Amino acid sequence: MSEPYTVQRLRGGYALVWKENGKRRRRQLNAEDRPGAEAEARSIWQAGAGDSAGTVGEIMQGYMAALERDNKPSAPRRRDAWKAMKSFWEKTDPALIDHEMCRSYADQRKAAPATIRYELLMVSTAVRWAKKGSPEMWLPPVSDRKVRHLTHAQFEKFFDGVVAPHARLYVLLGLYTMARPRAILELTWDRIDFDRGLIDLNPAGRRQTAKRRPVVTMNDELRAELVKAYEAHQISHVIERGGKPIANIKKAFQAASERSGVHVTPYMLRHTGAVWAAESGISMAALAQFMGHDDDSTTQKHYARFSPGYLKGVANAVQRRPF
């Protein structure tokens, strides 16, 4: 009796090929010769290859479910990213992923290179997690990330276009705490200490990651706005609308950007606060602590040039000397 699968050539190697729900599936094999490929295929099939998820969409659902089950901090961001990726990748056979397909995705995605790179790496990681091989991924080159920030005049113009009370509070929190968007949306009232003037951005039970959430001090303007919001609050989350927490603030920013004519994203507030602090002469070491950086190397890389005395010592040391 013939096997319910075949071993075929693929990209200079071999692949296990079978039919599942009327669709042709392929899985790259590691063996370099046909006898080894036949043995590997038998082993994989006996382990239940035909019962495993086949498309990238099926794999991604299992992968993200595992992240959420293990309470991985990256799970919410990856879930959001998948929404933008789903239409292109959902029905794709992972064995067909190659450089041309990745470039095609980048062309239709029309997003920043860093975003596309993150999403393509996410596909690769999920496929490897599902033990479906290692896709031949093309990735956009890594480029220096520009610090997109607002001048004081741009911020005021944008802020005038922010209408909803929850969005205005979010903007002030983003500027004055320099917290990342998700940290602000997840902030709860029990982590705001009005007596000491402190905001703990890290919820209980969340382990600190590379994207550390520090305890920061609130300034007078932010404190006054938080007091008013606390008097009217209905739920535990600081950013709420109609008695419900806000899952995503992007629509409010898009609307305010259209009203004001100043394009702003939630993350730009973090950069804006950091640039303003650097322009005021705050040390990179202090700014690093406030932003949750493990050391000031990242802070120096992005914000040191905005300091009023940036490299002046070097410039002043270069002097003409008469004979």
Side-chain angles (χ1 to χ4, degrees):
M1 187 176 77
S2 62
E3 296 289 352
Y5 63 85
T6 59
V7 175
Q8 300 179 12
R9 297 288 294 182
L10 177 66
R11 299 185 190 133
Y14 295 89
L16 170 66
V17 181
W18 73 95
K19 283 285 188 72
E20 181 178 324
N21 298 325
K23 295 182 180 179
R24 185 168 177 262
R25 306 293 191 196
R26 293 194 298 184
R27 174 168 174 172
Q28 186 84 44
L29 299 173
N30 296 319
E32 297 180 357
D33 56 29
R34 167 125 344 232
E38 295 284 359
E40 184 180 352
R42 283 193 300 273
S43 176
I44 291 173
W45 191 261
Q46 289 168 4
D51 298 327
S52 61
T55 67
V56 171
E58 292 166 339
I59 289 171
M60 197 66 72
Q61 289 302 317
Y63 172 62
M64 289 187 292
L67 291 179
E68 291 168 352
R69 182 181 63 246
D70 296 338
N71 198 28
K72 295 291 187 181
S74 63
R77 183 185 179 190
R78 291 185 180 251
R79 181 69 69 179
D80 288 342
W82 177 241
K83 292 177 182 178
M85 302 161 60
K86 187 174 181 179
S87 61
F88 184 95
W89 293 106
E90 185 175 23
K91 297 180 180 179
T92 301
D93 183 336
L96 301 179
I97 297 174
D98 56 15
H99 287 208
E100 185 177 348
M101 183 178 289
C102 293
R103 289 179 184 274
S104 176
Y105 175 70
D107 290 342
Q108 66 86 39
R109 181 71 174 89
K110 300 187 186 306
T115 299
I116 294 170
R117 187 180 180 87
Y118 176 86
E119 292 171 354
L120 289 173
L121 284 171
M122 180 173 151
V123 171
S124 178
T125 300
V127 170
R128 284 186 281 107
W129 168 86
K131 299 180 180 178
K132 292 284 188 175
S134 297
E136 294 182 7
M137 308 296 293
W138 168 87
L139 299 173
V142 177
S143 58
D144 292 334
R145 297 181 65 179
K146 294 182 179 180
V147 177
R148 299 175 60 201
H149 67 284
L150 302 172
T151 64
H152 288 268
Q154 288 173 327
F155 176 83
E156 295 304 328
K157 188 175 181 180
F158 169 75
F159 197 48
D160 284 343
V162 182
V163 176
H166 75 278
R168 290 182 68 83
L169 180 60
Y170 178 99
V171 170
L172 294 178
L173 277 164
L175 177 68
Y176 291 137
T177 68
M178 304 178 211
R180 296 178 178 86
R182 189 161 298 280
I184 298 173
L185 293 175
E186 292 178 355
L187 181 62
T188 49
W189 288 110
D190 61 305
R191 289 184 280 123
I192 295 181
D193 187 339
F194 287 107
D195 292 334
R196 299 169 64 197
L198 300 176
I199 300 174
D200 185 352
L201 294 167
N202 197 50
R206 177 190 179 272
R207 63 180 179 83
Q208 292 285 14
T209 66
K211 295 185 176 182
R212 191 164 62 85
R213 298 188 186 182
V215 176
V216 298
T217 303
M218 64 182 87
N219 66 14
D220 291 340
E221 181 182 4
L222 180 57
R223 180 191 179 89
E225 292 301 318
L226 285 171
V227 168
K228 288 195 295 185
Y230 182 74
E231 291 173 350
H233 84 281
Q234 301 179 58
I235 60 174
S236 61
H237 282 72
V238 175
I239 304 300
E240 62 167 291
R241 183 177 186 181
K244 296 181 180 179
I246 302 296
N248 195 310
I249 199 72
K250 289 181 180 178
K251 287 186 178 180
F253 271 69
Q254 291 168 355
S257 295
E258 291 176 3
R259 293 189 198 100
S260 65
V262 181
H263 176 68
V264 181
T265 65
Y267 207 95
M268 284 174 66
L269 298 175
R270 176 173 168 84
H271 288 317
T272 299
V275 169
W276 289 6
E279 289 175 340
S280 298
I282 295 298
S283 73
M284 291 296 103
L287 183 55
Q289 292 235 350
F290 199 91
M291 298 187 75
H293 294 159
D294 287 335
D295 56 56
D296 65 3
S297 59
T298 299
T299 322
Q300 292 270 4
K301 177 181 177 182
H302 294 302
Y303 307 111
R305 65 182 182 274
F306 296 103
S307 297
Y310 179 60
L311 299 182
K312 278 190 177 180
V314 177
N316 292 335
V318 182
Q319 299 287 342
R320 296 171 60 191
R321 295 181 180 178
F323 292 103

